[in-house]
Each structure stands twice: as structure tokens, then as C-alpha cells.
Amino acid sequence: MKRIMLLAVCLLLVGSVFVSSEAAEKKKWRIGFSQCNLGEQWRANMYEELLRAVERHSDELELIHKDAQLDTTRQQAQIREFISNYENGLIDCIVIVPKESAPFTPLVKECYDMGMPTIVADRDVLTDDYTCFIGGDNMVVGRAAGEWMREKMAGKSAKGVELQGMMTTVPAQERNKGFLEAIKGADMEIIFRADANWMEAAGRKEMESALSRFDQIDFVYSHNDPMAHGAYLAAQSAGREKDMLIIGIDGMPHEGIAYVKTGQMDATFVYPSGMDTTIETILKLKRGEKVPKRIMLNTTLYDKDNPNGKTVGTNREIWDLEAERAKN
Ligand code: FRU
């Protein structure tokens, strides 16, 4: 009798372990997603891609999305809320798309240090203390833009304008650095540069100042397409749009690519949102698989000669940061 009882208890125990591990596997992961702003076209598009990717895995994932509406303090508070949600078992991982780099670095580190799977997307932070970074390679994009312009300006003593994104973000810093690297040694001079905060209206205003100060402007390098379009509108109302080449970054079908088609811009480089990769990476983490430290996405050039796009660079997975840094 005793033996039968013991066997029954063992069977019950084995059964409950089996059931609970099955339950753990089946359990949905709740993603806390902190987005810096949804009021820009590129970010609205990023959100749509995110929703589609989550929807494809709705049996495994659930999304809790917070939009900070371009407010650093609000985004910090929303991340704090996610941290306490994690402590209370209400979310399982976090994706942070920070408005700026420095003010979010300690928070990213805090999430990671408490053991929460922490993904940083698009705008980099100033620490390696995260699970995975996923985004476009802004050095590659900046260099590609510089090489494109260098080729077009060959044989000319060229003067240009650089409309910068928010320079407190890594994408703007790297787009600036990559471009300058690529035009080094060429007879090209940036005679006017301004931080236009990624915004079309500010880009237009800065370009109006540049036009009023300089008679010769041969090129405009803008860190994104909205500011490039602002520059075009300013040049057009000054009757000078045909004197210069204007290029930008983002390459969205209804924005940059459309402007290239209509001749309002001369080239655009796609800056991928990375949302499909982000969701794939979260699913891997959920299954307990290892993921790369950084996933850097390539770009695609659209211009008159490449109306259907030309891929520049390759997607890269970086597993070993030290080895990667030693290479550079
Ligand atoms: C949107 C945006 C894009 C740009 C990206 C850089 O907020 O300004 O136009 O490519 O952010 O992070």
C-alpha cells in the first residue's frame, strides 16, 4: 500500500513539473515598448511594422506600447513604470527607442542589471549594458551619402550645407562623422551646418538662413528626408533649387523615395526600422537562445540611376564587441 502511495505521489510530482514547464513555454511574453515619439512619419511606419510583427506571433507575444511624444522626462518616467511592471511580473522584456543617448544610458543599464531582457533600437546609448542593440548602421549610411556626393561634385570646388539631426543622438553624430570621412581630401567644403532636430520646418528655416548668407550652394546633405524636403522648399522659393543637389536619409516610399521620383531630392538612403528583427530577437530570448550583442542593418540607395534601389553594405551580427572594436 505504502509503495502504491509513493508511486502515486511521484507520478503527481512528475506530472506537475511537466505541466508547469509546458505552461512556462506557452506563456506569452509581454513586451514593454518605450518609443520616443510617434509624431514623425518614419516612427509611425516603425510602429506599423512593429504591430504587424507582433500580430504574426500573437500566440506568443503581447505589446504594451508607450509614446513619450518627444519629451525626455516623460520617456524616462515611462521606462521607470516599465521597471516596476517588470518587478511585479507584468512585463517580461523591454525595448527602448531613446529620444537621446546620454539621458537614457543609466536607465538602459538599470533594466539590464536587474536581469530584464533589454533591447535598444535605432538610437544607440553610451553603454554596452544591454542585451542587444538593433538598428541601421549610421556610419555606413553617412559614408555612403558622402561617397555619393563626392562623386557628383568631382571636378568642382563645391560648397555645401549640412542639416543635422538632433546632435545629442548617436545616429546624427555618426551620419555626420561618416559623411565627413568620405569627403575627406575632396575639394568640398561645408560652409553652413545647423542642428535642425530632425524636423522639416526647422530644416526649411535653417536653409533659408544658409541661402540668404551664401550665393554659392552646390549641395545639401541632410541627416533625414523631412529636413531635406524643408531645404528643397526653401531653395525653391528662392528660385535656386536647380543650383544644388539635395540628399537625405530614411528612404520611405511615400516620403524620400517619392521626393526622388518627383525630382525634389536627388538621393535617399533607406534607414530600416528593424522591427521584424527586434521581434525575432525577442522570440529567441523567450526560447532561451543566445542572441548577438548588436545587429546592424544595411541601407539601400534610391536615386535617378537606381529607381528600384541598390543595396549598400550587408546586415551584420556582432557577437563579440571587444573583437569588433579591436578591428576598428
Ligand atoms: C525619426 C528620425 C528619422 C531618423 C531617425 C534617427 O524620429 O528622425 O527621420 O532617421 O529618427 O534616429
Side-chain angles (χ1 to χ4, degrees):
M1 186 62 188
K2 252 189 189 167
R3 270 204 192 154
I4 292 175
M5 288 268 288
L6 200 66
L7 191 68
V9 169
C10 284
L11 279 175
L12 261 174
L13 276 177
V14 169
S16 70
V17 167
F18 180 72
V19 167
S20 68
S21 73
E22 196 185 40
E25 235 177 68
K26 271 200 181 147
K27 184 181 159 272
K28 277 191 185 185
W29 258 27
R30 286 220 184 99
I31 309 167
F33 197 105
S34 166
Q35 170 64 272
C36 57
N37 186 30
L38 272 187
E40 292 151 88
Q41 206 43 56
W42 185 83
R43 288 187 190 279
N45 183 63
M46 183 183 203
Y47 183 53
E48 276 172 27
E49 287 180 17
L50 169 69
L51 290 182
R52 277 200 299 271
V54 172
E55 185 54 37
R56 279 197 295 275
H57 301 280
S58 53
D59 51 334
E60 285 188 272
L61 300 174
E62 220 175 281
L63 181 70
I64 302 168
H65 187 272
K66 289 188 198 293
D67 166 19
Q69 297 168 16
L70 214 54
D71 183 329
T72 300
T73 317
R74 183 178 297 146
Q75 189 171 18
Q76 286 169 328
Q78 290 175 340
I79 295 172
R80 287 240 152 272
E81 214 179 309
F82 278 140
I83 289 176
S84 73
N85 287 164
Y86 180 73
E87 283 165 339
N88 295 322
L90 297 174
I91 63 163
D92 302 278
C93 67
I94 191 164
V95 180
I96 299 177
V97 189
K99 181 185 157 214
E100 296 163 278
S101 303
F104 293 93
T105 297
L107 280 169
V108 166
K109 185 172 166 36
E110 193 175 326
C111 292
Y112 182 67
D113 285 349
M114 68 195 288
M116 170 157 52
T118 304
I119 292 185
V120 179
D122 160 36
R123 294 186 180 170
D124 217 339
V125 283
L126 311 174
T127 176
D128 298 337
D129 291 326
Y130 48 74
T131 310
C132 181
F133 171 84
I134 299 165
D137 192 328
N138 289 291
M139 281 303 288
V140 168
V141 173
R143 278 193 211 115
E147 279 156 20
W148 188 96
M149 199 56 97
R150 184 180 184 136
E151 207 186 297
K152 303 291 180 224
M153 293 294 133
K156 200 192 248 191
S157 186
K159 311 263 183 250
V161 167
E162 180 185 5
L163 292 175
Q164 302 176 325
M166 210 180 272
M167 282 303 271
T168 49
T169 67
V170 173
Q173 292 158 7
E174 292 188 346
R175 289 175 196 189
N176 161 267
K177 209 165 149 218
F179 187 86
L180 293 183
E181 239 179 66
I183 66 165
K184 203 166 169 206
D187 193 0
M188 291 169 77
E189 190 193 347
I190 308 277
I191 48 170
F192 182 98
R193 57 163 57 95
D195 190 323
N197 263 323
W198 303 115
M199 298 295 169
E200 173 162 339
R204 182 174 182 163
K205 211 162 141 254
E206 294 297 349
M207 187 64 187
E208 280 164 3
S209 312
L211 288 158
S212 69
R213 281 178 52 194
F214 297 99
D215 291 335
Q216 183 192 345
I217 298 175
D218 305 298
F219 68 90
V220 177
Y221 167 48
S222 167
H223 290 189
N224 74 357
D225 291 338
M227 296 187 297
H229 190 241
Y232 169 80
L233 295 176
Q236 188 198 35
S237 58
R240 289 171 61 183
E241 79 279 14
K242 298 217 164 57
D243 301 347
M244 61 193 80
L245 296 185
I246 302 177
I247 66 172
I249 296 163
D250 278 349
M252 288 197 310
H254 300 296
E255 209 178 57
I257 296 176
Y259 297 148
V260 169
K261 267 197 194 125
T262 55
Q264 296 178 302
M265 275 175 56
D266 297 286
T268 181
F269 295 83
V270 173
Y271 185 58
S273 81
M275 287 301 101
D276 286 344
T277 313
T278 299
I279 292 307
E280 278 165 31
T281 305
I282 290 174
L283 287 170
K284 282 187 187 154
L285 290 168
K286 181 175 182 282
R287 292 195 291 262
E289 291 171 27
K290 275 206 152 67
V291 300
K293 190 71 184 172
R294 293 175 72 80
I295 304 178
M296 310 304 294
L297 305 168
N298 64 11
T299 184
T300 304
L301 157 70
Y302 285 83
D303 64 1
K304 214 167 45 212
D305 300 330
N306 301 285
N308 299 317
K310 180 180 150 198
T311 309
V312 184
T314 46
N315 289 343
R316 288 188 314 135
E317 288 185 353
I318 300 167
W319 292 81
D320 183 346
L321 268 186
E322 298 303 316
E324 177 72 14
R325 287 194 179 126
K327 272 197 257 163
N328 297 317

